[in-house]
Amino acid sequence: MNSLEEIKWHKKSLMRGNGKIERVLLFRIPTINYKEFDIEAQRRSRVCTQQPIGIAMLASYLREELPNIELKLVDLEYDTVVKMFESSQKENVLENCTKAALAKFNPDLVGISVVFSPSIRNGYNVAQIVKDFNPEILVAFGGVHCTFDYKNILTQSHADAVFLKEAEYNFVNYIKCLNEELEEDSVHGVTFLNQQKEVAHIPYTSTPNFETLPMPAWDMVDTQNYYKVATT
């Protein structure tokens, strides 16, 4: 298959009976090793974390280009830290926060942002939770780590697609293509397993113009309260 045929097959295999993508949930994946996380020590020192600019940037362009799509951002690092500090319990905290977000929003597509390599195992776990919740939900990975580790992500997790490099344009075009709003030749910078279960690589063609992208969607993140748990 050439690239266009692979995209057509990928689209057909994903959207069979699924209608359109109408609800998109973006997760920022934690770098936290929950097994070793010392709640009391971290409560005293606060956690080295930051506001999730990656999913905030993606969301700002997505809602500008696709205003009819319902969109939600969840920073699982922040949310799980808040829960652990409130309850002094860490067992199943990532699973519980993920399930709560899924049950409340019921997405058609989940974006999993893995910026730092220590996050990848948590990313795999979140993808598993998503598919256990509803196997029809599409799961797309993206972020710095995913750009060089996409083969492992596609073969070792429940990812339906992995986006490369900066994905503001490409993620939006991908959704438009799935929703029959753009042709398949508009899809770039994404990888997935083809009909032969081999990695299909649709080349990345252009970097977004950051001078013209809208400001990050900070209104969709609890920015006012990060200082309560974080060092930054």
Side-chain angles (χ1 to χ4, degrees):
M1 286 188 179
N2 61 34
S3 292
L4 274 181
E5 290 172 338
E6 288 185 319
I7 295 169
K8 288 178 181 178
W9 178 86
H10 175 70
K11 175 181 173 180
K12 183 178 179 180
S13 68
L14 290 182
M15 301 305 292
R16 184 172 54 246
N18 280 1
K20 289 189 174 185
I21 303 299
E22 297 177 337
R23 301 169 69 83
V24 176
L25 174 59
L26 302 180
F27 281 129
R28 184 265 190 104
I29 300 300
T31 58
I32 296 169
N33 181 332
Y34 292 95
K35 184 177 180 180
E36 297 181 1
F37 190 86
D38 186 323
I39 295 175
E40 292 309 314
Q42 293 291 342
R43 199 198 308 272
R44 290 192 299 269
S45 66
R46 299 190 182 182
V47 178
C48 183
T49 188
Q50 61 283 319
Q51 296 164 358
I53 191 168
I55 59 173
M57 284 291 295
L58 193 61
S60 67
Y61 186 66
L62 196 155
R63 68 182 180 182
E64 181 178 274
E65 290 291 311
L66 294 166
N68 294 325
I69 281 186
E70 294 183 60
L71 179 62
K72 183 175 179 62
L73 275 60
V74 174
D75 183 349
L76 285 171
E77 182 152 288
Y78 172 75
D79 283 4
T80 56
V81 168
V82 170
K83 288 293 184 185
M84 288 188 289
F85 284 2
E86 288 177 347
S87 67
S88 297
Q89 300 291 327
K90 61 182 180 180
E91 185 176 2
N92 298 326
V93 66
L94 179 62
E95 179 180 359
N96 292 340
C97 285
T98 303
K99 286 182 175 179
L102 292 168
K104 186 174 182 179
F105 190 67
N106 194 27
D108 302 310
L109 186 153
V110 168
I112 293 179
S113 175
V114 180
V115 176
F116 302 111
S117 296
S119 304
I120 191 59
R121 283 296 157 190
N122 286 332
Y124 286 3
N125 291 339
V126 169
Q128 177 72 64
I129 294 165
V130 172
K131 290 296 187 178
D132 287 345
F133 176 81
N134 181 356
E136 297 299 316
I137 296 174
L138 308 188
V139 173
F141 277 68
V144 176
H145 176 89
C146 303
T147 295
F148 65 83
D149 196 34
Y150 62 89
K151 291 181 181 178
N152 286 327
I153 295 170
L154 288 169
T155 56
Q156 296 178 18
S157 79
H158 288 273
D160 294 302
V162 180
F163 285 84
L164 309 174
K165 303 181 182 180
E166 291 84 2
E168 283 80 4
Y169 293 169
N170 295 331
F171 186 62
V172 167
N173 285 352
Y174 178 81
I175 294 173
K176 286 181 177 181
C177 177
L178 294 181
N179 284 350
E180 304 288 356
E181 296 173 20
L182 283 178
E183 297 298 324
E184 286 80 6
D185 60 4
S186 300
V187 175
H188 305 287
V190 65
T191 65
F192 49 83
L193 295 181
N194 62 18
Q195 193 168 7
Q196 290 73 41
K197 302 299 182 184
E198 300 170 341
V199 175
H201 181 284
I202 310 304
Y204 191 90
T205 57
S206 62
T207 301
N209 183 347
F210 292 102
E211 296 295 325
T212 60
L213 285 175
M215 291 293 290
W218 293 128
D219 58 296
M220 302 186 73
V221 180
D222 185 20
T223 56
Q224 300 302 310
N225 289 307
Y226 272 72
Y227 78 94
K228 295 178 182 179
V229 301
T231 58
T232 56

